[in-house]
Amino acid sequence: MLVEQITTQLLNAGNPEIAQHSQRFFKTAKGEYGEGDKFIGIRIPILRQTLKAYKHATIEDALALLKSEYHEIRLFAVLLFVELFEQSKKDQAQQAEIVKAYLANTQYINNWDIVDSSAHKILGKYYLNRNKSTLHQLALSNNLWERRIAMMSTYTFIKNHQFEDALLLAITLLNDKHDLIHKIVGWMLREIGNKDKQVAESFLQKHYQNMPRTMLRYAIEKFTKTERTAYLKGQI
């Protein structure tokens, strides 16, 4: 009943013009990464506002919503997972159940905004002080979104000055063929640089010549102009 209520509310909040723009922005044409995805036309502030009224929802509700054909409803579902995970700070069994549900349904976590709104806030927090082999397995997946989930999850590690797994995953994904992986790896390397530039530079000096250009540009974005030029010209 609650799932139907949420779905109806979100469908009624849709805007056809926004939906049309989103279909282009999230690359839903044939052969693109979001091929066939459907949009209602809702901006994320409205989703977050709606979420406030449904904090009493359950994991089962979130799972049902995650299987929606509509992008924004799936995004709402992962935001609900994040909310439920936060509510369960003192309940490790509940958090483990959320992680299990999240990992078992990655086929529905299938665009960069859905990944980036949730992976580090669920998997990142859960695995912060646990064995991280699950993330390394995801990084080897044939599924683009599972690889992005793996890398995005390290954002929480980086914030806590744990760089090792982010760097290891960056090596795993160094030769990935997809631009969305180049961007997320570069972004996380940039975040490492924000915390400890020496660590980031040590990694870049070893690997920058083999990096896709997009990955490198993202990684060095906060460096000085002189430093950026040197890296881009291969003069390090």
Side-chain angles (χ1 to χ4, degrees):
M1 188 69 178
L2 191 59
V3 170
E4 293 178 6
Q5 184 179 333
I6 294 170
T7 299
T8 299
Q9 184 171 337
L10 292 176
L11 287 172
N12 289 338
N15 181 313
E17 290 185 8
I18 294 175
Q20 193 172 42
H21 173 268
S22 294
Q23 283 181 235
R24 293 192 300 271
F25 184 74
F26 287 101
K27 307 295 184 184
T28 63
K30 187 173 182 178
E32 294 183 317
Y33 62 75
E35 180 178 347
D37 205 355
K38 296 181 180 181
F39 287 80
I40 304 167
I42 306 176
R43 303 293 191 201
I44 195 163
I46 294 177
L47 292 178
R48 293 193 183 280
Q49 184 178 353
T50 305
L51 181 64
K52 292 178 182 179
Y54 294 103
K55 291 182 178 181
H56 60 291
T58 65
I59 295 174
E60 290 72 25
D61 294 325
L63 272 173
L65 291 165
L66 187 60
K67 296 174 183 178
S68 172
E69 63 180 318
Y70 293 106
H71 183 105
E72 294 95 336
I73 295 179
R74 298 197 307 278
L75 178 54
F76 182 90
V78 298
L79 294 175
L80 179 55
F81 269 131
V82 170
E83 175 62 31
L84 293 173
F85 191 87
E86 284 299 309
Q87 290 177 14
S88 305
K89 285 181 178 178
K90 296 182 179 180
D91 188 342
Q92 292 191 5
Q94 173 90 339
Q95 288 195 333
E97 187 177 349
I98 292 168
V99 168
K100 183 179 179 181
Y102 189 93
L103 289 171
N105 291 276
T106 52
Q107 68 266 42
Y108 305 109
I109 306 169
N110 57 354
N111 216 310
W112 58 264
D113 61 325
I114 303 177
V115 172
D116 295 1
S117 297
S118 59
H120 60 301
K121 295 179 179 180
I122 297 174
L123 302 186
K125 288 186 176 181
Y126 185 77
Y127 289 115
L128 179 62
N129 295 310
R130 290 182 170 91
N131 183 290
K132 300 170 177 59
S133 59
T134 296
L135 300 181
H136 291 275
Q137 291 170 13
L138 287 175
L140 298 173
S141 172
N142 291 327
N143 183 313
L144 162 65
W145 307 116
E146 290 189 344
R147 301 197 304 276
R148 189 167 175 110
I149 285 169
M151 198 70 216
M152 186 67 215
S153 296
T154 69
Y155 194 13
T156 298
F157 310 158
I158 294 166
K159 287 180 178 180
N160 286 272
H161 293 267
Q162 293 184 18
F163 307 132
E164 181 180 1
D165 287 278
L167 295 173
L168 288 172
L169 288 171
I171 292 172
T172 298
L173 297 168
L174 199 67
N175 297 312
D176 198 283
K177 295 180 179 180
H178 206 288
D179 184 62
L180 287 174
I181 300 301
H182 303 169
K183 290 178 179 178
I184 189 69
V185 173
W187 174 14
M188 291 304 108
L189 291 173
R190 184 180 72 219
E191 294 300 329
I192 291 173
N194 288 340
K195 294 292 185 182
D196 191 325
K197 190 175 180 181
Q198 186 175 350
V199 171
E201 285 196 292
S202 177
F203 180 88
L204 287 169
Q205 286 167 10
K206 291 177 184 176
H207 301 288
Y208 82 100
Q209 291 181 319
N210 298 317
M211 279 184 179
R213 206 67 167 174
T214 297
M215 186 186 295
L216 179 59
R217 286 186 182 276
Y218 268 62
I220 63 175
E221 185 178 4
K222 297 293 181 67
F223 287 14
T224 67
K225 184 177 180 180
T226 300
E227 290 170 330
R228 293 198 304 272
T229 299
Y231 274 103
L232 292 171
K233 289 186 175 181
Q235 298 173 347
I236 297 298

